[in-house]
């Protein structure tokens, strides 16, 4: 770590010691110098007092007291030099008038090499002008004088004091102390101090380092590792920091533990909420699927009409539903409804309403009766005060009549030669008030007319300016729509219209459309493939005749259709070639199969059943069955097409 | 078309259900072709509502298969409508067919 606290503290401590060291050095230098001066002064005094005891000076020569050996002075001076470390010690008397000094005795330290030193200078006189300091001492103005002076390249301390002999004669006593000695003493003591300091410094450093390492770096590392491990590989792990102790790191550890605890709880709560939400979404999803399961397939064809429907659910489960139900060969029930509310409640109400309507319809009730029954059933126990808007109509293909009743739903339209709004027979919402009465209105549809049923999700779709699509735009769209187009076309047309309008906004409601196109003549374009027979079969089964008649007609058409598929083209059907199936229902059912390919009259050369040998012949029985099951069959060849017409009568008693 | 095959003491019974038309007849053919041995093959037409020539051909095929296996062959429980097809084509004279 570049900026580790341990390093910083150590650096700081080292710096502090260096500064302290420098200050100590300077301090000790001055202290020592002072001490040396004081010591010198003290030694000098001792020298003087000894000297006074020892020597006698009469102004001319040195006389030694009787007790003492004459050499003793010299010896003593030597001793002083040696003992106190002076370079020189000397006793001298100045003649201030002549400017000379006379040495009474002098000594040199044996360590000092000075060849010019002459037998202790005893009795020597030389010219020497006293310094002001020496003069002041001589004149007894000052007891002691210390000067620093240069002697060659070295500096020395020169101390002078006054002594008196027994007769009271004044003698100057001087010593020279070399600075080099002071320096070496200072250095010696400094080295000692330095060593001690260094040891202390090292001790402090180590102690600081250890403390920081143990109390700061290590816990910091543990905390940082633990924190890093908390989320590893994108997953949380269970971590816990030791909370022992009572320092800042314990504080951090406690805070961290409490934080991870809180995060764990928080995430746990979120997880619970998420799974709860997921569960709810799944339930909603299931409900939505059940609801969609109730709805019929999006397209249905009967001989008299084609139905196309579409329910686009909003984000949540909405309450829209549509229903169609063939009541018999001629009549088909159509329903469009919108249940108030959303979600599970709406889907339950939707299921109840739809089931009830289906049951009522199967009982043969009219649209108004179905509404009344459904209303009574729902309003009996509707604590939540939910309601349904329902439009019910029954289309009779044989008469073209569409009988309808409306319980508060958007009025549908008939798109024909003109646009007709079916705003009659409107009653109150289903589910709120029991014993409501509903009325009925009738409109007659012509061939090709289209009934357009929708929910308010269509008109209440909003654009980015928060404007509704509205009824006016819907009417204009329906007027602009080409009338002879099919039900599938109008659904894709409306989808594009609504998607363009609501671009960039979210749909808040289901949008549901059911379009019924009335046909008097049913036309199918079929491939030359026997599988296409299924479409024909489904249409015939919906015809308004008894099931025996249906099967009989089916048999006839199947045989002819299979015959065409098998024999029309010997070497493969040309691309895009179709068999045109046309069915018209009037007082009779007339089916026409128009096919290209080889000219072939299927009504000719039909084998005689009596001659048929089942062990030899394969096939050939089909046309026999076909002709036998139709009331009338006709063949013509026109414009390169084989045109076969099969007719089945509808007798009054079986409709 | 639903076909239920049962076998009892060499008598293989195929119980047919639904429409025996051009879309479903091959199913009968495949079931019959899968029979390896039988003393007798019985087609139970109790639940057959409809039969076209495609179905008829499969009945004839079953008849031939039974002959090859040396088994007896019969169609039973045929309703009136389907019976009329057998009659119309004269097959009722050539195969053992019994009405409901």
């Amino acid at each position: 770590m570049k900026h580790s606290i341990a390093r910083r503290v150590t650096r700081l401590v080292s710096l502090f010691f260096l500064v302290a060291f420098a200050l100590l050095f300077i301090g000790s230098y001055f202290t020592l110098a002072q001490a040396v001066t004081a010591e010198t002064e003290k030694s000098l005094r001792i020298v003087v007092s000894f000297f006074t005891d020892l020597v006698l000076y009469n102004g001319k020569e040195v006389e030694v007291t009787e007790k003492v050996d004459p050499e003793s002075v010299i010896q003593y001076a030597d001793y002083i030099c040696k003992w106190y470390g002076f370079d020189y010690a000397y006793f001298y008397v100045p003649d201030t008038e002549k400017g000379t000094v006379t040495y009474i005795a002098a000594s040199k330290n044996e360590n000092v090499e000075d060849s010019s030193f002459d037998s202790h200078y005893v009795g020597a006189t030389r010219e020497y002008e006293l310094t002001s300091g020496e003069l002041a001492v001589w004149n007894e103005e000052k007891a002691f004088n210390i000067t620093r002076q240069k002697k060659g390249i070295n500096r020395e301390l020169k101390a002078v004091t006054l002594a008196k002999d027994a007769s009271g004669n004044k003698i100057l006593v001087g010593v020279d102390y070399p600075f080099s000695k002071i320096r070496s003493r200072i250095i010696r003591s400094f080295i000692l101090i330095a060593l001690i300091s260094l040891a202390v410094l090292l001790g402090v450093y180590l102690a600081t380092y250890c403390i920081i390492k143990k109390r700061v770096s290590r816990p910091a590392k543990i905390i940082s590792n633990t924190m890093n491990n908390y989320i590893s590989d994108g997953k949380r792990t269970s971590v816990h920091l030791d909370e022992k102790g009572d320092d800042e790191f314990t504080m951090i550890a406690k805070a961290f533990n409490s934080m991870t605890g809180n995060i764990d709880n928080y995430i746990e709560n979120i997880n619970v909420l998420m799974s709860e939400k997921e569960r709810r979404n799944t339930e909603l999803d299931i409900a939505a699927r059940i609801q969609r399961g109730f709805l019929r397939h999006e397209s249905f064809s009967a001989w008299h009409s084609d139905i196309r429907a579409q329910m686009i659910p909003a984000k949540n489960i909405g309450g829209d539903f549509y229903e169609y139900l063939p009541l018999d060969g001629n009549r088909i029930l159509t329903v469009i409804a919108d249940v108030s509310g959303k979600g599970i409640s709406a889907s339950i109400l939707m299921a109840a309403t739809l089931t009830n309507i289906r049951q009522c319809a199967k009982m043969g009730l009219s649209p108004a009766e179905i509404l009344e029954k459904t209303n009574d059933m729902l309003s009996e126990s509707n604590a939540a005060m939910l309601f349904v808007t329902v439009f019910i109509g029954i289309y009779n293909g044989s008469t073209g009549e569409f009988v309808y009743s409306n319980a508060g739903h958007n009025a549908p339209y008939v798109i024909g030669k003109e646009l007709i709004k079916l705003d009659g027979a409107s009653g109150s919402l289903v589910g709120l008030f029991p014993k409501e009465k509903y009325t009925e209105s009738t409109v007659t549809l012509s061939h090709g007319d289209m009934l357009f049923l929708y929910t308010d999700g269509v008109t209440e779709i909003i654009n980015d300016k928060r404007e509704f699509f509205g009824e006016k735009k819907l009417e204009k769209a329906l007027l602009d729509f080409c009338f002879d187009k099919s039900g599938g076309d109008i659904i894709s047309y409306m989808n594009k219209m609504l998607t363009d309008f609501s671009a960039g906004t979210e749909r808040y409601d289901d949008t549901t459309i059911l379009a019924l196109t009335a046909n008097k003549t049913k036309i199918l374009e079929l491939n030359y493939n026997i599988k296409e027979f299924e479409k024909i079969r489904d249409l015939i089964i919906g015809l308004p005749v008894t099931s025996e008649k249906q099967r009989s007609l089916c048999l006839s058409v199947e045989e002819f259709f299979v015959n065409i598929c098998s024999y029309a083209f010997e070497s493969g059907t040309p691309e895009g070639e179709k068999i045109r199936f046309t069915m018209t229902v009037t007082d009779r059912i007339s089916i026409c199969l128009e096919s290209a390919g080889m000219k072939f009259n299927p009504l000719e050369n039909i084998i005689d059943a009596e001659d048929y040998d089942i062990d030899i012949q394969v096939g050939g029985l089909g046309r026999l069955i076909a002709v036998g099951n139709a009331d009338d069959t006709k063949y013509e060849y026109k414009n390169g097409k084989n045109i076969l017409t099969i007719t089945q009568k509808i007798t009054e008693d079986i409709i | 078309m639903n076909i239920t095959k049962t076998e009892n003491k060499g008598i293989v019974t195929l119980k047919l259900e639904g429409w025996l038309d051009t879309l479903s007849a091959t199913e009968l053919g495949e079931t019959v072709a899968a029979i390896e041995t039988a003393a007798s093959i019985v087609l139970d037409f109790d639940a057959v509502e409809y039969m076209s020539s495609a179905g008829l051909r499969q009945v004839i095929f079953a008849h031939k298969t039974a002959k090859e296996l040396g088994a007896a062959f019969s169609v039973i429980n045929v309703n009136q409508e389907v019976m009329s097809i057998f009659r119309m084509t004269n097959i009722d004279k050539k195969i053992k067919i019994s009405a409901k």
Side-chain angles (χ1 to χ4, degrees):
Chain A
M1 219 182 291
K2 208 174 171 184
H3 300 290
S4 138
I5 294 176
R7 275 193 197 180
R8 278 198 219 180
V9 170
T10 321
R11 224 178 291 158
L12 208 67
V13 170
S14 308
L15 190 69
F16 169 76
F17 267 87
L18 275 177
V19 171
F21 216 54
L23 288 174
L24 202 71
F25 184 79
I26 296 162
S28 63
Y29 181 85
F30 284 107
T31 317
L32 207 65
Q34 224 162 11
V36 167
T37 310
E39 209 176 293
T40 310
E41 192 182 332
K42 198 176 155 196
S43 348
L44 216 52
R45 279 186 211 286
I46 296 165
V47 171
V48 169
S49 74
F50 269 91
F51 182 77
T52 311
D53 288 345
L54 283 175
V55 297
L56 190 71
Y57 175 69
N58 58 8
K60 287 172 190 170
E61 57 189 287
V62 178
E63 278 184 23
V64 180
T65 54
E66 288 168 19
K67 287 181 269 179
V68 182
D69 188 270
E71 282 299 311
S72 300
V73 178
I74 308 296
Q75 277 176 16
Y76 182 63
D78 283 346
Y79 171 74
I80 288 167
C81 279
K82 196 178 174 186
W83 183 254
Y84 291 104
F86 298 135
D87 277 0
Y88 299 97
Y90 39 91
F91 305 87
Y92 60 107
V93 178
D95 187 336
T96 49
E97 283 169 15
K98 284 180 185 170
T100 57
V101 290
T102 306
Y103 288 97
I104 297 159
S107 177
K108 175 180 79 75
N109 192 313
E110 54 188 24
N111 293 334
V112 176
E113 278 181 22
D114 187 359
S115 55
S116 64
F117 188 75
D118 181 19
S119 63
H120 301 118
Y121 274 77
V122 175
T125 301
R126 68 173 181 119
E127 280 187 12
Y128 178 74
E129 199 75 46
L130 286 183
T131 63
S132 57
E134 283 172 311
L135 202 59
V137 173
W138 183 251
N139 293 335
E140 295 183 58
E141 287 160 8
K142 211 171 146 187
F144 201 78
N145 182 54
I146 288 184
T147 50
R148 286 174 199 182
Q149 62 179 39
K150 255 190 172 168
K151 193 180 178 188
I153 53 160
N154 295 322
R155 291 173 75 92
E156 61 178 15
L157 201 64
K158 187 177 174 70
V160 179
T161 192
L162 195 67
K164 284 183 179 168
D165 65 8
S167 320
N169 294 317
K170 294 195 280 187
I171 299 162
L172 281 172
V173 182
V175 288
D176 288 357
Y177 191 88
F179 251 84
S180 59
K181 267 192 186 156
I182 296 176
R183 252 201 313 272
S184 67
R185 277 182 68 183
I186 288 172
I187 287 167
R188 260 203 310 278
S189 66
F190 183 74
I191 285 171
L192 192 70
I193 291 168
L195 280 174
I196 294 167
S197 307
L198 209 65
V200 172
L201 177 70
L202 209 65
V204 170
Y205 177 87
L206 280 174
T208 315
Y209 186 78
C210 288
I211 289 170
I212 287 177
K213 183 112 185 154
K214 193 183 167 199
R215 311 291 288 184
V216 179
S217 297
R218 202 177 299 158
K221 206 169 177 180
I222 292 171
I223 288 175
S224 102
N225 283 346
T226 313
M227 284 177 173
N228 281 336
N229 285 341
Y230 183 48
I231 305 282
S232 63
D233 294 337
K235 279 180 192 160
R236 259 177 323 126
T237 51
S238 172
V239 292
H240 187 80
L241 283 170
D242 196 357
E243 291 184 11
K244 259 190 276 172
D246 192 23
D247 59 9
E248 289 82 350
F249 286 101
T250 316
M251 201 163 78
I252 291 174
K254 280 179 183 167
F256 176 74
N257 285 341
S258 124
M259 184 191 77
T260 52
N262 285 338
I263 289 176
D264 288 349
N265 283 340
Y266 181 68
I267 290 176
E268 201 53 45
N269 285 343
I270 286 178
N271 285 345
V272 168
L273 283 177
M274 290 289 281
S275 61
E276 179 67 20
K277 200 180 167 194
E278 212 164 288
R279 195 180 59 79
R280 240 180 313 155
N281 281 345
T282 313
E283 273 177 8
L284 274 178
D285 206 37
I286 292 168
R289 261 186 286 160
I290 291 173
Q291 193 184 19
R292 285 193 79 80
F294 269 103
L295 297 182
R296 301 273 178 201
H297 195 263
E298 287 183 341
S299 67
F300 174 78
S301 273
W303 65 270
H304 51 68
S305 60
D306 278 309
I307 287 177
R308 283 301 189 97
Q310 175 186 267
M311 199 269 270
I312 300 175
K315 223 173 150 193
N316 298 316
I317 308 175
D320 278 13
F321 69 88
Y322 64 81
E323 166 74 347
Y324 55 80
L325 183 67
L327 300 174
D328 52 42
N330 285 325
R331 295 184 308 146
I332 187 161
L333 174 90
T334 55
V335 182
I336 195 151
D338 185 0
V339 175
S340 66
K342 290 198 180 306
I344 307 273
S345 62
S347 75
I348 293 171
L349 187 56
M350 175 261 186
T353 312
L354 184 50
T355 312
N356 202 67
I357 289 173
R358 277 179 189 168
Q359 271 175 349
C360 292
K362 280 173 186 164
M363 284 159 63
L365 302 184
S366 73
E369 286 167 340
I370 296 172
L371 285 179
E372 281 161 16
K373 284 262 183 210
T374 309
N375 178 54
D376 288 349
M377 188 276 288
L378 291 181
S379 55
E380 250 172 38
S381 50
N382 184 2
M385 294 309 274
L386 292 169
F387 57 86
V388 195
T389 69
V390 192
F391 177 92
I392 299 184
I394 294 175
Y395 174 62
N396 187 330
S398 66
T399 60
E401 278 183 350
F402 182 69
V403 181
Y404 65 91
S405 185
N406 191 346
H409 197 83
N410 303 56
Y413 293 93
V414 172
I415 313 169
K417 289 191 180 70
E418 51 189 336
L419 189 70
I420 306 163
K421 187 175 182 182
L422 299 185
D423 49 8
S426 78
S428 56
L429 307 162
V430 165
L432 295 178
F433 315 106
K435 307 285 170 212
E436 280 289 336
K437 290 288 164 206
Y438 293 91
T439 54
E440 280 168 3
S441 286
T442 306
V443 65
T444 305
L445 305 181
S446 310
H447 174 72
D449 281 359
M450 184 188 283
L451 199 59
F452 181 84
L453 278 57
Y454 68 100
T455 57
D456 60 4
V458 172
T459 42
E460 285 170 15
I461 229 166
I462 53 166
N463 63 7
D464 52 1
K465 291 173 194 142
R466 306 201 67 75
E467 294 164 342
F468 286 119
F469 185 70
E471 228 168 82
K472 273 190 184 152
K473 273 205 185 64
L474 174 66
E475 283 176 12
K476 190 176 179 314
L478 295 179
L479 277 168
D480 290 347
F481 179 69
C482 212
F483 284 160
D484 54 356
K485 284 186 180 167
S486 70
D489 287 335
I490 198 157
I491 285 184
S492 24
Y493 170 79
M494 283 308 299
N495 280 348
K496 188 183 180 316
M497 193 70 88
L498 295 176
T499 309
D500 288 351
F501 181 77
S502 67
T505 60
E506 203 177 323
R507 291 193 183 185
Y508 293 102
D509 204 356
D510 305 344
T511 43
T512 307
I513 294 170
L514 185 146
L516 179 146
T517 317
N519 299 316
K520 288 289 174 189
T521 303
K522 186 91 195 170
I523 297 166
L524 298 177
E525 298 278 345
L526 304 167
N527 295 319
Y528 286 75
N529 183 334
I530 56 166
K531 287 209 172 102
E532 295 275 81
F533 169 67
E534 200 171 356
K535 290 178 185 166
I536 299 175
R537 188 181 66 188
D538 291 348
L539 264 184
I540 293 176
I541 287 170
L543 284 173
V545 289
T546 59
S547 52
E548 287 83 1
K549 277 263 176 193
Q550 286 171 357
R551 286 197 286 269
S552 177
L553 182 61
C554 210
L555 207 46
S556 180
V557 178
E558 178 186 336
E559 299 299 351
F560 283 125
F561 183 76
V562 170
N563 196 271
I564 293 168
C565 290
S566 312
Y567 304 113
F569 296 99
E570 278 179 334
S571 50
T573 313
E575 184 104 9
E577 198 64 62
K578 302 272 184 188
I579 301 170
R580 191 178 165 89
F581 171 95
T582 313
M583 184 170 80
T584 313
V585 182
T586 50
D587 59 335
R588 61 188 62 220
I589 301 160
S590 169
I591 290 172
C592 180
L593 292 170
E594 206 176 309
S595 60
M598 191 177 68
K599 183 184 175 186
F600 177 70
N601 184 352
L603 307 179
E604 283 175 355
N605 303 323
I606 295 174
I607 57 162
D608 187 345
E610 295 285 341
D611 301 337
Y612 190 76
D613 183 349
I614 58 166
D615 293 327
I616 302 164
Q617 283 165 292
V618 185
L621 295 172
R623 286 187 286 130
L624 178 70
I625 297 171
V627 175
N629 278 280
D631 287 345
D632 187 30
T633 47
K634 232 165 52 192
Y635 171 82
E636 59 179 323
Y637 188 76
K638 218 163 98 184
N639 303 327
K641 302 258 177 177
N642 294 296
I643 301 166
L644 181 75
T645 311
I646 306 147
T647 312
Q648 197 86 315
K649 283 179 211 144
I650 302 174
T651 45
E652 283 301 317
D653 57 342
I654 53 163
I655 293 179
Chain B
M1 162 122 274
N2 262 334
I3 302 173
T4 322
K5 182 180 167 184
T6 52
E7 204 169 341
N8 186 19
K9 292 172 187 167
I11 304 169
V12 177
T13 310
L14 300 181
K15 192 171 163 48
L16 314 179
E17 201 182 330
W19 281 40
L20 195 56
D21 61 9
T22 188
L23 300 169
S24 61
T26 45
E27 222 177 299
L28 174 60
E30 283 161 14
T31 316
V32 169
I35 300 172
E36 284 167 3
T37 55
S40 172
I41 295 175
V42 179
L43 299 185
D44 185 349
F45 263 49
D46 190 39
V48 176
E49 296 173 326
Y50 177 102
M51 184 181 70
S52 68
S53 66
L56 193 61
R57 267 202 300 280
Q58 296 305 333
V59 173
I60 296 167
F61 171 70
H63 164 75
K64 285 180 178 171
T65 307
K67 214 169 172 182
E68 279 163 23
L69 293 172
F73 181 75
S74 60
V75 182
I76 58 164
N77 292 329
V78 181
N79 77 17
Q80 222 182 322
E81 256 177 273
V82 178
M83 190 56 116
S84 71
I85 306 293
F86 283 120
R87 284 205 191 103
M88 188 185 287
T89 52
N90 225 13
I91 300 296
D92 63 327
K93 305 270 165 40
K94 290 152 187 171
I95 293 174
K96 198 179 157 195
I97 297 170
S98 57
K100 258 191 194 176

